[in-house]
Amino acid sequence: PMKLAKLIDTLTTLLNADRREQLRRYDEMKTVLRKLRRKRNELLDELEQAEGEEREKIQRRLDIVIAERARGIAILRELKKARDA
């Protein structure tokens, strides 16, 4: 499994690419977003069991995953519209 930093780095690279490149890598972006969803669920499970500082650390990572995933999904929706048009 990919580490969180690697997943976010891959997503950032995909989001910063120009439109043609994004359209070409549409499926790759969907895969990365799916992996981030799994990571988010894992972090939510960990958060339920964690306490104190560990809980704060997990919460920060979770916030990052949620924000990056939302950004990726928004662009994916735009790309889908562009692709279907």
Side-chain angles (χ1 to χ4, degrees):
M2 245 191 250
K3 294 284 184 206
L4 178 59
K6 178 86 171 140
L7 282 171
I8 291 176
D9 189 43
T10 303
L11 181 63
T12 302
T13 302
L14 291 168
L15 297 180
N16 290 339
D18 68 347
R19 273 289 187 242
R20 273 179 306 190
E21 183 68 12
Q22 284 178 336
L23 283 169
R24 197 174 66 73
R25 298 176 80 177
Y26 182 85
D27 292 330
E28 185 180 348
M29 195 180 294
K30 279 179 71 169
T31 303
V32 171
L33 290 170
R34 202 170 297 125
K35 287 179 181 178
L36 277 173
R37 181 179 59 208
R38 284 191 204 114
K39 193 62 152 173
R40 179 198 65 196
N41 292 340
E42 286 173 20
L43 288 171
L44 283 169
D45 290 342
E46 286 178 33
L47 190 64
E48 287 178 7
Q49 299 164 10
E51 294 178 7
E53 256 183 60
E54 184 66 23
R55 186 175 178 83
E56 291 174 22
K57 183 177 161 188
I58 293 170
Q59 184 64 53
R60 281 194 301 271
R61 292 177 69 202
L62 185 60
D63 292 343
I64 292 169
V65 170
I66 290 170
E68 288 298 312
R69 192 162 180 279
R71 199 171 125 218
I73 289 171
I75 289 184
L76 201 66
R77 284 191 182 125
E78 288 175 24
L79 290 174
K80 186 169 176 18
K81 283 181 191 171
R83 210 173 64 160
D84 294 344

